[in-house]
Amino acid sequence: MPAPERIPSRSMSSPESPRDTELLARGELTVRGRVREASNAVLYCSVAHEGREAACVYKPVAGERPLWDFPDGTLAQREVAAYEISEATGWGLVPPTVLRDGPYGEGMVQLWIEADPEARLLALTEDEEAGEGWKAVGPAQIDEDRTALLVHADTPELRRLAVLDAVINNGDRKGGHLLPAPGGRLYGIDHGVTFHVEDKLRTLLWGWAGEELPAEAVGVLDSLDRSLAPGAPLATRLAELLTGAEVAAVRARVEALRATGRHPEPSGQWPAIPWPPV
């Protein structure tokens, strides 16, 4: 695969949904660059169809590195499944994402989001507690002799994403996977390490751990429970992307969240924070 120069800045539009998924699915893909620091092949592309054009990310399955603990399916399929769940919540937290053929074979294609460089979702503070508008994650080592408190913003959008991550069992919610867009929108990206049947939740969004779920989230989980019933459109779509055991595990996680009515807490069986955290 050729390695053209990376086009570094996130650019172009923010998601509109049906029209964007049609553009991504049917448009002509042209590779413009490569994000070299990614662990798998991530290509920056333009996509054009019937007079519309946008920037997007194309992650071909052929460029995926095998994961010993995710032997079934592909990263691309799980990324699309995460988008489908996000759309079912009505929160629109994952940019429009499709599975399609491209210049290097089948892969995931996702709308490229321009991040707001002024937005602050994560911070380090030397205070013992998180200040107003922030939630504490835990201590972080600054150097050999100094630690600081890692905090994340206390916003409805981030809290929704924490609920979504609990549903899809996100094993890699890093700071760099949070995209605050201009206008206050928030998007999460890089959902290839999701949907495992075992508890794999690793995230920086532990600030609400153990707290009661907001009423809004409870209502969304109730709706998801109905949408995941066997034979329902969402369940049928997920069955095309995930194994039967993985779909059953999604149902079980939704049922467990509804039963407890609380945000999950770290299991203590493995590191709860992904590495590197950013």
Side-chain angles (χ1 to χ4, degrees):
M1 181 182 298
E5 290 187 15
R6 179 194 169 207
I7 300 177
S9 61
R10 292 192 174 273
S11 59
M12 294 216 176
S13 57
S14 55
E16 299 282 336
S17 234
R19 289 191 70 208
D20 286 326
T21 53
E22 180 183 17
L23 172 63
L24 294 172
R26 302 181 62 187
E28 180 179 356
L29 277 178
T30 302
V31 176
R32 303 294 185 184
R34 182 171 183 172
V35 181
R36 295 189 180 279
E37 65 266 29
S39 56
N40 297 284
V42 179
L43 303 178
Y44 177 89
C45 300
S46 62
V47 59
H49 179 65
E50 294 185 346
R52 295 189 70 218
E53 184 173 357
C56 61
V57 172
Y58 165 47
K59 298 181 181 181
V61 172
E64 296 180 1
R65 294 183 181 180
L67 298 174
W68 67 268
D69 54 343
F70 283 83
D72 299 312
T74 65
L75 303 182
Q77 289 171 302
R78 291 190 286 274
E79 295 240 34
V80 176
Y83 168 70
E84 297 288 353
I85 294 281
S86 170
E87 287 298 284
T89 66
W91 288 334
L93 293 168
V94 178
T97 311
V98 302
L99 191 68
R100 58 162 289 178
D101 194 35
Y104 301 106
E106 185 178 66
M108 180 279 280
V109 177
Q110 183 176 82
L111 201 66
W112 184 269
I113 301 299
E114 181 181 356
D116 182 356
E118 303 300 320
R120 292 181 68 226
L121 299 178
L122 299 166
L124 291 169
T125 176
E126 295 189 0
D127 296 335
E128 293 184 359
E129 297 183 358
E132 183 178 355
W134 296 89
K135 285 286 190 178
V137 179
Q141 195 74 34
I142 303 300
D143 52 40
E144 288 186 7
D145 304 314
R146 192 161 60 102
T147 61
L149 183 65
L150 176 64
V151 298
H152 65 66
D154 184 8
T155 68
E157 293 78 16
L158 267 184
R159 194 165 190 175
R160 291 168 182 166
L161 191 59
V163 174
L164 176 66
D165 282 343
V167 170
I168 67 176
N169 197 15
N170 193 349
D172 198 30
R173 177 59 73 203
K174 299 173 180 173
H177 298 170
L178 303 171
L179 291 184
R185 293 285 307 261
L186 173 70
Y187 301 101
I189 60 170
D190 287 347
H191 296 109
V193 187
T194 50
F195 295 104
H196 203 285
V197 296
E198 300 175 4
D199 181 8
K200 296 274 188 179
L201 186 59
R202 288 190 293 270
T203 176
L204 290 179
L205 304 181
W206 287 116
W208 300 283
E211 293 187 14
E212 286 191 15
L213 292 166
E216 175 197 37
V218 173
V220 165
L221 291 169
D222 289 344
S223 177
L224 269 182
D225 185 60
R226 294 188 294 272
S227 298
L228 289 166
L234 177 61
T236 300
R237 176 59 176 146
L238 291 180
E240 298 170 351
L241 300 165
L242 307 171
T243 67
E246 288 167 339
V247 176
V250 176
R251 292 193 189 100
R253 285 192 294 272
V254 170
E255 291 170 0
L257 288 167
R258 294 174 68 228
T260 65
R262 295 182 178 276
H263 286 271
E265 299 182 79
S267 67
Q269 298 178 2
W270 51 77
I273 304 294
W275 185 262
V278 178

